[in-house]
Amino acid sequence: MDFPYFFTWTKQKDITHFDLLSVDETSFETKEYGRVYDLSSISYQASFGLKNKFIQNAIINQLNQFAIASPKATFDLKNRVTHEFLNFLNKKNGKIFYTTGGAESNENALKMARRITNKKVILSRKLSYHGATLGALSISGDWRRDHNITLDEWTAWIPEANKDPDLIETEKVIKNIGPENIAGFFLETIIGGNGVYPAPQKWWNGIKRLCKKYDLLLILDEVLCGFYRTGEPFGYFHYQLEPDIVTFSKGITGGMIPFGAVYASERISTFFEENILSCGLTNYAHPLGLAAMEAVIKLCKDDEFIRHYKNLEKVFNRRVFSFAKKPRVEEVRCVGMLAAIEIEGLPSLKHFLEKGLYLVIHDKRIILAPNFCYLPKQLESQLDILEEIMDKKNDEG
Ligand SMILES: Cc1ncc(COP(=O)(O)O)c(C=O)c1O
C-alpha cells in the first residue's frame, strides 16, 4: 500500500509498518500483529507509559485554560514549572531555554556555546547522536549523518572513553586544533541509542580537568538519559559534574507533547543579560509542553513512583544481565532502565512484532528502554518472550 507521507530513516519501499488501532499504558493493538508490547518506550520518549492519565489530564487542563502564549508572556505555570525544573536539576542559578524537541535543544545549546566563547569547534564522539538538524547532525557520529551535508570543519572527534581512559589522545586532539578554536565538549552523558556506554568517573574527571585547563565548556546531552531513564533523575547525577549547558527532551513530557529544554548555567545566562540571545522559536515555552513537564516532574518526585521504579529497575537489571549467558548474546550493557544487547543473528523487527514485541534494533543490537508503568511481573512476561526469541534458532535468527 502507498502512503502519502514519509517514514523516517529508511528507503520508503522497505518500511516495516503496522496499522495502529489503539494504545494502552504498556502496549498497543495493531491490525497485523494483534497486541504488541513496547519495550523501548517507542523512541525512548514514552518513559511514563504510552497513555499516562496524569500527564494527559495536565495537558487537558491547560488546554482548557490557554494553549497559546507569546514567547514574551510571563504566566504562573511558566514561572512555577521553571523553578520546579531548576530545583529538580539541583541548580540554584542559571536559566532554562525551552524548545520543541531534542535536536532543537542541541541546536540552541550549540548557538549559545559558540556565541559565549566566540569559538566554533565542538569536541564530540563518533558514537553519539544529537539530532537530525544541521548543527546537531554535524556533531553526531553515527550512520544518520550519511547522505547529508555536515559542518565538518567545526567538529572534532575525540576517542570513546574506553579507548582513551586517561584522555591522552583527547588532549592531543585539543592541542592539534588549538584550544583557542574550541568552544567545548558536547557529550551524551550516557551514550544511549548507539549502545548504552556509561563512561567511568575517572574519564569524566579527565574531561573536567581539560575543561579547566583549556577553558572549554562542558555541554551534556540528556535528551535520552534524562528523567530517570538511567536510574537517576538525570544521567549526570551518576557523576560529579558541573556542566555549563544541559539539553533535554523525550522524557521531559513523556513524549506526550513535543517539547525540550536547555539549561544554561549562571555564567552563560549572565552573558546574555548584555548580549543578544539570538535564539527563538514560534512555539517557545509552549503552555501544553510546560503543563506536561510539570506533571512529569511531579511524577518523578512522588515517593510511590520512586519505590515502584527502584523495584522495576531491579527486576529489569537482573533479567537483562542474565541474558549475557545466552549462547548467541555477545554482550549486555545496562544502566537503570536502559540496556543494550549485542546478539548474533538478530531477527528483523517484523519477527519481533509477530511475537508481540516492539523494540529498537539496529545491526546486531537491541536497545531496551521499557516504560516505567510496567508492573514487574508484566515486564518479566515480555522479557520471557524476548528470551524465547533469543534462544530459538528460528528461520531469521
Ligand atoms: C541523545 C539524543 N540527543 C538528541 C536526539 C534528537 O532528539 P529529537 O529526535 O527529538 O530531535 C536524540 C534522539 O534520539 C538522542 O537520542
Side-chain angles (χ1 to χ4, degrees):
M1 182 183 174
D2 257 357
F3 295 94
Y5 42 80
F6 287 116
F7 293 89
T8 56
W9 302 116
T10 182
K11 281 185 194 169
Q12 299 301 297
K13 70 176 180 54
D14 287 350
I15 186 71
T16 300
H17 63 87
F18 45 82
D19 217 351
L20 184 64
L21 302 177
S22 66
V23 173
D24 73 17
E25 282 192 335
T26 54
S27 67
F28 48 86
E29 188 72 26
T30 70
K31 199 163 146 192
E32 300 86 344
Y33 307 105
R35 182 147 299 279
V36 173
Y37 282 82
D38 168 34
L39 287 179
S40 292
S41 297
I42 307 297
S43 300
Y44 321 113
Q45 78 275 42
S47 299
F48 304 93
L50 304 180
K51 208 173 190 182
N52 186 304
K53 273 264 169 307
F54 188 66
I55 304 174
Q56 281 174 216
N57 284 338
I59 296 169
I60 292 166
N61 279 341
Q62 185 55 40
L63 184 62
N64 288 331
Q65 291 179 52
F66 59 91
I68 294 179
S70 157
K72 295 196 187 338
T74 60
F75 47 96
D76 185 40
L77 171 66
K78 190 171 172 181
N79 302 340
R80 189 177 68 231
V81 74
T82 306
H83 283 299
E84 285 165 1
F85 187 31
L86 284 168
N87 234 333
F88 193 30
L89 295 172
N90 275 340
K91 299 289 180 196
K92 288 204 177 64
N93 301 306
K95 285 191 180 183
I96 302 295
F97 183 89
Y98 288 108
T99 74
T100 58
E104 211 177 63
S105 292
N106 288 335
E107 290 293 342
N108 284 289
L110 283 166
K111 286 168 78 175
M112 288 183 198
R114 286 177 166 141
R115 175 76 180 93
I116 190 177
T117 59
N118 205 19
K119 299 172 190 174
K120 291 201 181 82
V121 177
I122 299 289
L123 301 170
S124 182
R125 287 177 293 185
K126 283 262 162 94
L127 276 184
S128 56
Y129 178 66
H130 297 292
T133 51
L134 180 61
L137 197 62
S138 298
I139 56 161
S140 299
D142 75 14
W143 56 276
R144 283 168 279 198
R145 63 188 283 120
D146 297 349
H147 316 294
N148 291 296
I149 288 174
T150 43
L151 309 172
D152 297 342
E153 198 183 331
W154 295 314
T155 305
W157 304 108
I158 59 163
E160 305 304 331
N162 62 340
K163 297 268 159 55
D164 189 28
D166 299 313
L167 292 100
I168 292 164
E169 295 305 314
T170 301
E171 188 158 9
K172 279 188 198 159
V173 172
I174 295 171
K175 283 184 174 161
N176 269 342
I177 296 160
E180 68 281 5
N181 299 311
I182 305 173
F185 290 97
F186 207 121
L187 304 166
E188 276 185 77
T189 318
I190 292 172
I191 287 173
N194 280 325
V196 188
Y197 292 99
Q201 179 68 51
K202 185 180 161 213
W203 185 80
W204 284 109
N205 289 345
I207 292 285
K208 281 200 292 189
R209 179 176 59 77
L210 294 177
C211 283
K212 204 163 168 201
K213 185 168 172 186
Y214 295 109
D215 191 22
L216 306 175
L217 295 178
L218 177 58
I219 306 152
L220 296 179
D221 179 339
E222 289 265 344
V223 167
L224 192 154
C225 63
F227 293 90
Y228 267 109
R229 178 45 64 199
T230 66
E232 290 283 347
F234 299 98
Y236 71 91
F237 282 25
H238 288 284
Y239 305 104
Q240 315 265 301
L241 289 172
E242 277 301 326
D244 298 286
I245 303 178
V246 191
T247 63
F248 309 90
S249 188
K250 295 195 190 274
I252 196 168
T253 56
M256 298 256 157
I257 288 273
F259 201 59
V262 181
Y263 162 77
S265 65
E266 193 178 12
R267 172 182 167 193
I268 313 255
S269 55
T270 307
F271 173 86
F272 288 112
E273 289 298 314
E274 299 291 339
N275 294 281
I276 291 175
L277 177 71
S278 188
C279 302
L281 50 142
T282 303
N283 286 308
Y284 182 78
H286 196 283
L288 299 186
L290 294 173
M293 170 176 150
E294 185 171 48
V296 164
I297 293 173
K298 275 191 187 139
L299 276 175
C300 288
K301 291 199 154 176
D302 181 72
D303 288 343
E304 203 161 316
F305 165 79
I306 295 169
R307 249 194 317 276
H308 167 76
Y309 178 93
K310 289 289 157 199
N311 240 336
L312 193 66
E313 182 192 22
K314 225 179 275 165
V315 167
F316 181 64
N317 279 234
R318 173 173 54 73
R319 285 302 298 272
V320 166
F321 280 121
S322 79
F323 296 158
K325 297 189 207 103
K326 308 255 152 227
R328 289 161 59 205
V329 172
E330 291 169 3
E331 201 172 309
V332 172
R333 295 176 295 277
C334 181
V335 198
M337 292 297 289
L338 181 66
I341 304 170
E342 308 280 348
I343 178 164
E344 180 214 317
L346 183 67
S348 65
L349 177 60
K350 187 164 190 296
H351 184 77
F352 284 107
L353 288 167
E354 281 162 356
K355 303 285 177 193
L357 294 183
Y358 180 86
L359 33 73
V360 173
I361 56 171
H362 186 68
D363 287 342
K364 55 179 194 171
R365 177 181 300 146
I366 298 173
I367 305 277
L368 297 178
N371 80 58
F372 315 147
C373 285
Y374 272 103
L375 297 173
K377 273 221 160 79
Q378 231 189 349
L379 181 58
E380 290 227 60
S381 311
Q382 301 317 314
L383 293 174
D384 286 344
I385 297 170
L386 179 62
E387 189 166 1
E388 269 170 41
I389 299 173
M390 290 195 292
D391 278 340
K392 236 188 204 145
K393 268 270 168 205
N394 51 47
D395 288 347
E396 288 207 27

